[in-house]
Amino acid sequence: MSETASHVASGKVREIYALDDERLLLVTSDRISTFDVVLPTEIPDKGRVLTGLSAFWFAQTESIVPNHLIALREDGRSTECRRLEMLPIECVVRGYLAGSGWKDYLATGEVCGHRLPEGLSESERLPEPIFTPATKAQTGHDENIDRAAAVELVGEERFDEAERLTLELYSYVAGRALEHGIILADTKLEFGVDPEGRLVLADEAFTPDSSRFWPADGYEPGTSQPSYDKQFVRDYCETLGWDKTYPGPELPADVVDGTRARYIEAFERLTGVDFAEYLADPASVQA
Ligand code: Q0N
């Protein structure tokens, strides 16, 4: 960074800096987390893949909802964004039954207050996508909440608007992804409110870090599905007998290379842009 900027927040893999009162700088690193632990080994270019995918989907969905992106920088991993008043909920939509949705369904037959048909299998496609908001609990873990709890946090009008936009964005992007052999099982979106009171899509959007991407090829409900991007890392970690607490293991070169190739493959399939072209000219995903 050339200019002075104060650090606003750190995520597991991203840093947020304030550029001025109206603008933030988001920088996405090459760090990777698995089983909620950031590993000591990085995946080269992973941050560029995530940044390019977000910028691509922001451009593709602009007619559905405005977004916070102001500028994609030449490094391909940093973006200047409008500073918003963030909604205190994570807007999650699920088209398939996985993760905490599957766990909640097994325990109660419901996910975030949505009663689902009986007899669904793990990873099964839902009759229709459902909006399943979450909050960041004290522990730092996401906690699923029902409609009443979310309305308590954002108000009824905002809730309905966020739900409608989240479902519309998911339908559009999941359909596009499936055309390219990738199932978008679920995704997490974050919205903010601009000074005019409009909802604006923020954060990263439709990346493998904020979504479950599954290869459509070989999709088979009844068990957990391999992750499009992180499966080599998970499989390798499972061979170690690691207890999934800090510190995580170093990754060997073949696991790093295979994982990097999968991120780039997802990028190229979804955007139709060669990754080399993105590195030469990040704006190529915004055409
Ligand atoms: C922001 N985070 C990620 C909400 C915050 N455009 C923005 N304007 C203001 N703040 C943020 C953005 C963005 N992107 C986003 N932190 C600050 C963390 N989330 C967690 C859930 O609650």
Side-chain angles (χ1 to χ4, degrees):
M1 267 185 307
S2 51
E3 65 272 76
T4 313
S6 68
H7 196 237
V8 169
S10 283
K12 283 209 175 77
V13 304
R14 286 181 313 156
E15 308 296 333
I16 306 181
Y17 304 88
L19 291 171
D20 54 42
D21 288 350
E22 277 107 47
R23 296 178 310 142
L24 299 176
L25 183 69
L26 271 55
V27 183
T28 308
S29 74
D30 292 337
R31 296 193 291 273
I32 185 167
S33 72
T34 190
F35 307 113
D36 266 340
V37 171
V38 178
L39 301 180
T41 311
E42 299 193 335
I43 306 299
D45 292 324
K46 173 176 177 281
R48 293 190 173 91
V49 166
L50 268 54
T51 301
L53 270 173
S54 274
F56 172 76
W57 289 119
F58 283 143
Q60 297 292 312
T61 60
E62 227 156 25
S63 65
I64 300 175
V65 63
N67 60 70
H68 73 163
L69 183 60
I70 300 167
L72 175 55
R73 290 198 169 173
E74 279 302 313
D75 66 3
R77 69 165 73 249
S78 312
T79 56
E80 297 169 22
C81 301
R82 281 193 282 158
R83 196 170 195 166
L84 306 163
E85 201 62 55
M86 298 301 290
L87 295 190
I89 58 171
E90 300 192 329
C91 292
V92 179
V93 50
R94 301 168 188 275
Y96 296 74
L97 204 43
S100 67
W102 168 240
K103 286 203 183 82
D104 291 351
Y105 171 74
L106 276 184
T108 67
E110 296 186 1
V111 184
C112 296
H114 297 271
R115 168 124 326 247
L116 297 176
E118 283 175 38
L120 294 176
S121 317
E122 184 174 12
S123 310
E124 194 164 339
R125 186 174 177 165
L126 295 172
E128 57 193 333
I130 54 174
F131 182 59
T132 62
T135 53
K136 288 254 179 258
Q138 310 291 9
T139 60
H141 266 95
D142 294 354
E143 185 183 322
N144 289 340
I145 54 175
D146 64 12
R147 181 189 155 93
V151 164
E152 199 66 39
L153 290 168
V154 302
E156 190 155 41
E157 233 182 305
R158 282 290 180 220
F159 177 91
D160 289 343
E161 194 184 5
E163 174 177 53
R164 179 182 62 76
L165 287 171
T166 300
L167 291 171
E168 189 174 344
L169 288 164
Y170 174 79
S171 298
Y172 175 70
V173 174
R176 291 273 308 268
L178 200 52
E179 289 170 15
H180 299 283
I182 294 175
I183 293 173
L184 180 66
D186 52 42
T187 198
K188 183 206 80 175
L189 301 173
E190 286 191 28
F191 293 92
V193 179
D194 73 10
E196 287 72 46
R198 287 180 294 240
L199 271 192
V200 176
L201 183 60
D203 202 61
E204 60 177 339
F206 305 105
T207 72
D209 274 15
S210 63
S211 317
R212 278 194 180 82
F213 285 12
W214 296 336
D217 195 37
Y219 165 66
E220 194 183 51
T223 181
S224 66
Q225 302 302 294
S227 154
Y228 198 94
D229 43 292
K230 286 185 182 169
Q231 202 57 42
F232 294 143
V233 173
R234 295 199 183 135
D235 290 349
Y236 172 73
C237 288
E238 295 290 5
T239 68
L240 300 174
W242 165 51
D243 65 2
K244 295 165 192 173
T245 63
Y246 276 91
E250 302 264 6
L251 300 174
D254 62 320
V255 173
V256 171
D257 293 349
T259 301
R260 178 174 183 274
R262 292 292 278 175
Y263 276 101
I264 291 171
E265 187 181 305
F267 174 97
E268 292 185 334
R269 279 203 193 193
L270 292 168
T271 65
V273 173
D274 281 340
F275 189 61
E277 188 182 340
Y278 176 73
L279 295 182
D281 177 19
S284 56
V285 294
Q286 299 172 301

